[in-house]
Amino acid sequence: MREEKADDSLSLLDPEPPTGMPFDVSWRRTLALGSAQCKTGKYSAAARRFAEAEHLAATDASLQAELALFRGRCELVKNHVDAAEEFFSRAEQSVKADPFTRMYSLMGLGVCAQKNYEYEKVIDLYSQVRTVSRTLKAGPFEERALGVLGFAYYEVGDLQKAKENSLAAEKLARELHQRRDQMAWLLNSGRAYGATGQSGLAREDYEKALALALEFHDDAIAAKCLHNLTQMELAHGTIAAAEHYHNQSRSLHPEGDDVRDQTLDEAGIAAAKHDWPRAEALFLELLPQVRKVPRLTWSIQASLARLDVAQGKTA
């Protein structure tokens, strides 16, 4: 399950076990089976397994907290963010929750906050994750907390803390041989360098992250690297280089915000080539999509204002 091979987990867990299993084995099997069923889209079967786990937990508050954590994760799989947040809160607030259950619950709440673009809340939650992870001497969790903090600080405009946390996360990921994590934190540090005018260091980190993303066939990270490289070239006025990176991104299969970023790049290139009508149409198309992201809203509004000036429009 930790390697995200839910189908394999189902084939191992689904056969009925022998009678007389120790309680702990039965409990773990029930939770793992419900989680695997949820990840493979078998939501009704997962609900039945979690109901079975609820019966096993009875009045044990520690087990109830752990079950709430697994139910929260399942709701996230279904993209039911509000329901997930309710379950994670229940788990985190339980006085009987063990430290790892509490840490996982804080991380779940952080994911919910991130999906809602509530970055100040993300910072608060992952600061708590970092504190707990240090107490538990759980290096991989501290690494994750540092990386997410780097991302969130960038989103709220605290570029110094964004840089500090991202660099610390990348260093720790390197020490732990977590190369997949490295590419995400290199992307974060690249953004922070770029925003503070250190374009050479930004490019270096983007290129490193891109190489890892292509190695691991991670289209999401690759798309973000190529978007940031495109934007950096547009800022420098090197249109051909911007088009080169943008064309590379077209070979990927982006989803969600990465599709939006491709459109943003296309709009920027159109503006740079003085194709004012196309640029304006694309920026106006994007504006409603970024209402919850103040940084992007301001950037697009500024771009539209520059287009007005370029076309000689008056208020």
Side-chain angles (χ1 to χ4, degrees):
M1 284 292 288
R2 290 182 183 180
E3 296 180 3
E4 299 301 321
K5 296 179 179 177
D7 287 315
D8 292 345
S9 299
L10 274 177
S11 64
L12 291 170
L13 294 166
D14 209 18
E16 284 300 319
T19 56
M21 272 199 315
F23 175 82
D24 187 60
V25 175
S26 178
W27 171 253
R28 295 283 153 220
R29 173 183 175 273
T30 303
L31 289 181
L33 189 51
S35 181
Q37 287 168 332
C38 187
K39 288 180 179 179
T40 52
K42 300 178 175 66
Y43 302 133
S44 296
R48 289 193 294 272
R49 288 296 175 182
F50 291 143
E52 181 183 329
E54 189 169 5
H55 176 75
L56 289 171
T59 58
D60 188 316
S62 177
L63 296 182
Q64 289 174 353
E66 190 174 7
L67 173 57
L69 169 65
F70 274 77
R71 279 177 158 160
R73 288 171 172 170
C74 187
E75 294 301 326
L76 265 187
V77 169
K78 294 185 281 186
N79 205 32
H80 295 169
V81 179
D82 289 345
E85 189 171 19
E86 184 178 336
F87 279 121
F88 289 138
S89 294
R90 191 182 305 173
E92 192 273 323
Q93 291 169 11
S94 172
V95 293
K96 295 292 185 179
D98 69 60
F100 277 97
T101 296
R102 179 168 183 266
M103 183 167 61
Y104 277 122
S105 301
L106 286 166
M107 292 171 73
L109 288 167
V111 172
C112 293
Q114 194 168 329
K115 283 181 175 289
N116 288 328
Y117 303 99
E118 298 171 330
Y119 295 114
E120 295 285 1
K121 193 172 179 181
V122 172
I123 290 168
D124 174 60
L125 290 162
Y126 270 93
S127 294
Q128 294 181 64
V129 170
R130 188 185 182 196
T131 300
V132 177
S133 67
R134 282 183 159 182
T135 301
L136 296 172
K137 294 181 170 54
F141 293 95
E142 182 180 3
E143 175 230 310
R144 177 70 182 170
L146 286 165
V148 175
L149 284 168
F151 171 80
Y153 276 120
Y154 177 86
E155 291 297 328
V156 300
D158 192 333
L159 301 178
Q160 185 58 38
K161 286 186 178 178
K163 194 187 305 180
E164 289 171 1
N165 282 276
S166 298
L167 291 172
E170 193 277 329
K171 180 176 181 291
L172 189 50
R174 199 170 352 108
E175 291 170 355
L176 295 169
H177 306 291
Q178 297 293 325
R179 296 178 74 235
R180 283 183 177 272
D181 288 354
Q182 263 186 278
M183 60 184 173
W185 313 145
L186 283 165
L187 174 62
N188 282 357
S189 58
R191 293 201 312 166
Y193 279 133
T196 53
Q198 297 169 287
S199 58
L201 291 170
R203 183 189 301 280
E204 185 179 328
D205 281 359
Y206 289 149
E207 294 285 5
K208 287 179 184 176
L210 179 60
L212 285 169
L214 294 175
E215 178 185 340
F216 289 114
H217 305 288
D218 190 317
D219 279 7
I221 295 292
K224 289 176 175 64
C225 292
L226 290 166
H227 164 66
N228 289 329
L229 286 163
T230 301
Q231 290 294 312
M232 193 164 67
E233 297 298 349
L234 285 173
H236 292 159
T238 45
I239 303 172
E243 287 186 298
H244 167 72
Y245 287 123
H246 181 56
N247 288 335
Q248 272 188 267
S249 75
R250 291 178 178 277
S251 66
L252 304 174
H253 301 90
E255 298 178 351
D257 289 349
D258 296 326
V259 177
R260 175 202 68 197
D261 288 345
Q262 276 193 344
T263 306
L264 186 61
D265 291 342
E266 192 174 345
I269 290 169
K273 296 172 79 171
H274 298 179
D275 187 349
W276 314 128
R278 176 156 181 74
E280 184 174 29
L282 289 168
F283 281 131
L284 288 172
E285 175 188 324
L286 285 165
L287 200 54
Q289 301 175 36
V290 300
R291 289 298 185 191
K292 291 185 177 180
V293 190
R295 174 179 57 82
L296 286 179
T297 300
W298 179 88
S299 175
I300 291 172
Q301 287 173 336
S303 296
L304 286 167
R306 285 193 293 271
L307 286 178
D308 284 346
V309 172
Q311 295 175 89
K313 293 182 179 180
T314 56

